[in-house]
Amino acid sequence: MCKIDYHDVKTPETCPGEDLTLVKKPLDISSGKEYEKCRYAFFPDRQLCADEPEIVVKAYDSILFQYQDTGFFMQDITSDEIPAQWEALGKPQIVVTSLRYADILKKDFPQIPVISIYELLQQLQISGGCNSTDYALFYPETENESDNAKAAVRGLAESMGAKLHDTAEKKLPYITCCMDCRDSLKNNGRDAVHILELIYGMGASNTHMIHEHDHEHDHSETCEHGESSAECGECSDIPECSGVCSDCSADCDNVLNASGPAAAEPPAPLPTKDEQLANLRELKEVMLQLFWS
């Protein structure tokens, strides 16, 4: 597994006096009132909220479906208000999307129990073979090595059908549990996806994501017997293409770079700082409308 500290992305700064915090207990559907205390509180990292707010909504909804007493915790990780807000929610276990957030909480507020969303989702036995892509695993170095969380990321990816590699081969896309890392990799011209995008669907920045296997190419060749090597009885033991271009001899670069109707669209750009800030504002409004109105 690739271990690189890859944080060169900064989350957008809010305007002075603007409060994008949202810390709330869930509503009890039967009574219409808030739960007295929460079992869990979902704490998505700011970069995920700014980049892919739809995933935040879907992730919270999926946890809330299983555990109706799950609160929501959208807050700056550096805020001194976190302990008091945690106590107001009934001292729940905090569910983080960022291993860096887990590090900070464990270091600064050791009284707060923390679990990654990846461990929680694995406990819920999330599965489904909907992605057969080859990926290289990528995660940042953390002060407190979270082996359970990293093992959960691997397990979730494999349960979704992904084929994982510990080293980055040529053109092999990365899969990560760090939104900062995903953005940094994409900014540096690498193909990368967040594990939550596989689970909840690709966000806007990956709508037209291109992987080396996302095209069809003809690997059939005419053998010395004058037939297709795939059909010739004497040559039929030639292995079929696995879909990973680095494993075969096809001229896949020409296919990827081809022009015309069959050519794939380039990936959409990452959101600008202004767009990220707009996403944060809209996310707070949407969460209130969906879950507290």
Side-chain angles (χ1 to χ4, degrees):
M1 184 177 288
C2 187
K3 297 183 179 180
I4 304 174
D5 193 359
Y6 218 95
H7 289 284
D8 62 4
V9 177
K10 296 182 179 179
T11 52
E13 296 182 1
T14 59
C15 299
E18 184 174 20
D19 183 14
L20 293 178
T21 300
L22 182 60
V23 180
K24 290 185 71 67
K25 297 175 182 177
L27 291 178
D28 186 335
I29 298 177
S30 60
S31 66
K33 299 179 180 180
E34 291 184 350
Y35 279 86
E36 291 186 6
K37 63 179 182 179
C38 305
R39 178 189 316 190
Y40 295 110
F42 180 49
F43 194 160
D45 63 272
R46 184 59 63 92
Q47 196 69 35
L48 177 64
C49 293
D51 276 7
E52 308 292 355
E54 301 93 343
I55 291 178
V56 175
V57 175
K58 292 178 181 179
Y60 179 63
D61 189 49
S62 68
I63 300 173
L64 193 64
F65 180 77
Q66 297 292 335
Y67 305 104
Q68 288 74 34
D69 54 352
T70 299
F72 189 70
F73 211 108
M74 188 165 76
Q75 174 62 284
D76 187 335
I77 189 62
T78 63
S79 174
D80 294 331
E81 298 178 356
I82 288 177
Q85 291 170 332
W86 168 71
E87 290 184 5
L89 292 179
K91 300 182 178 180
Q93 187 169 27
I94 297 295
V95 181
V96 296
T97 56
S98 165
L99 301 189
R100 183 173 65 90
Y101 273 34
D103 269 357
I104 294 172
L105 290 173
K106 290 176 182 178
K107 179 180 178 181
D108 295 347
F109 312 113
Q111 72 275 27
I112 299 179
V114 178
I115 186 174
S116 74
I117 187 175
Y118 316 109
E119 295 166 88
L120 187 60
L121 291 177
Q122 192 173 51
Q123 291 175 15
L124 296 175
Q125 298 182 336
I126 299 296
S127 64
C130 61
N131 190 302
S132 59
T133 306
D134 285 75
Y135 291 100
L137 284 167
F138 185 103
Y139 64 89
E141 290 284 2
T142 54
E143 293 182 11
N144 300 309
E145 289 294 326
S146 181
D147 293 335
N148 290 338
K150 292 170 183 175
V153 170
R154 175 185 284 272
L156 286 170
E158 290 177 338
S159 71
M160 300 299 289
K163 302 174 184 177
L164 303 179
H165 303 262
D166 289 331
T167 57
E169 301 175 16
K170 182 181 179 182
K171 295 184 181 179
L172 202 61
Y174 282 107
I175 187 171
T176 181
C177 60
C178 164
M179 188 56 71
D180 286 344
C181 300
R182 188 209 71 167
D183 288 0
S184 296
L185 287 164
K186 289 169 75 71
N187 282 333
N188 282 274
R190 296 303 304 266
D191 201 356
V193 61
H194 195 285
I195 178 66
L196 294 181
E197 293 181 281
L198 295 189
I199 297 171
Y200 296 110
M202 292 293 185
S205 60
N206 273 327
T207 302
H208 305 296
M209 194 172 183
I210 300 174
H211 293 315
E212 57 172 309
H213 69 288
D214 287 340
H215 60 276
E216 295 181 358
H217 44 248
D218 184 8
H219 293 81
S220 62
E221 298 178 358
T222 301
C223 69
E224 59 181 331
H225 306 99
E227 298 184 37
S228 167
S229 57
E231 298 176 356
C232 177
E234 297 183 43
C235 302
S236 58
D237 59 343
I238 297 177
E240 295 182 1
C241 176
S242 64
V244 179
C245 299
S246 57
D247 293 342
C248 68
S249 58
D251 190 8
C252 299
D253 286 338
N254 289 337
V255 179
L256 280 176
N257 296 327
S259 59
E265 297 181 43
L270 293 171
T272 65
K273 294 300 180 184
D274 287 341
E275 290 171 338
Q276 288 179 325
L277 186 54
N279 284 343
L280 290 171
R281 292 168 177 154
E282 185 177 2
L283 176 60
K284 180 177 180 179
E285 181 180 342
V286 168
M287 291 296 296
L288 288 171
Q289 291 177 353
L290 289 177
F291 301 104
W292 287 279
S293 63

